[in-house]
Amino acid sequence: MNRWFFFCCVTISVLLIIRLEWPKLKVKPIRDKAVFVSLLLLVWILSMLDLPNTPGPTTVLMFIFKPFRGLVEP
């Protein structure tokens, strides 16, 4: 329930930012618009993930190389 509330708040915030900033961006080049949209999209996608409980890169490496532990250690 709490995650959905957070996701809805982020979605509303992103839509509000787009609504307020897009008129100013109309005169800007395509590159600025692309960066603006991509950053907002990145934030919106990251808000869907449970980042504090997501395993990091070391966990992935341990998962990959753990079966080879017996071959490497004496």
Side-chain angles (χ1 to χ4, degrees):
M1 178 72 177
N2 191 19
R3 301 251 338 124
W4 283 106
F5 178 73
F6 178 71
F7 175 71
C8 289
C9 287
V10 170
T11 302
I12 290 170
S13 299
V14 166
L15 292 174
L16 186 64
I17 290 170
I18 290 173
R19 173 80 172 113
L20 294 174
E21 293 295 325
W22 196 256
K24 297 175 192 172
L25 281 172
K26 280 191 174 186
V27 296
K28 301 286 183 178
I30 293 281
R31 185 176 293 167
D32 289 352
K33 293 176 191 175
V35 169
F36 176 74
V37 169
S38 62
L39 286 175
L40 281 177
L41 188 63
L42 177 69
V43 167
W44 187 68
I45 289 172
L46 286 175
S47 73
M48 287 187 249
L49 301 175
D50 188 17
L51 292 178
N53 297 323
T54 304
T58 54
T59 307
V60 174
L61 289 174
M62 290 296 290
F63 177 75
I64 292 171
F65 292 111
K66 195 168 188 174
F68 302 112
R69 190 174 189 179
L71 297 173
V72 178
E73 292 180 352

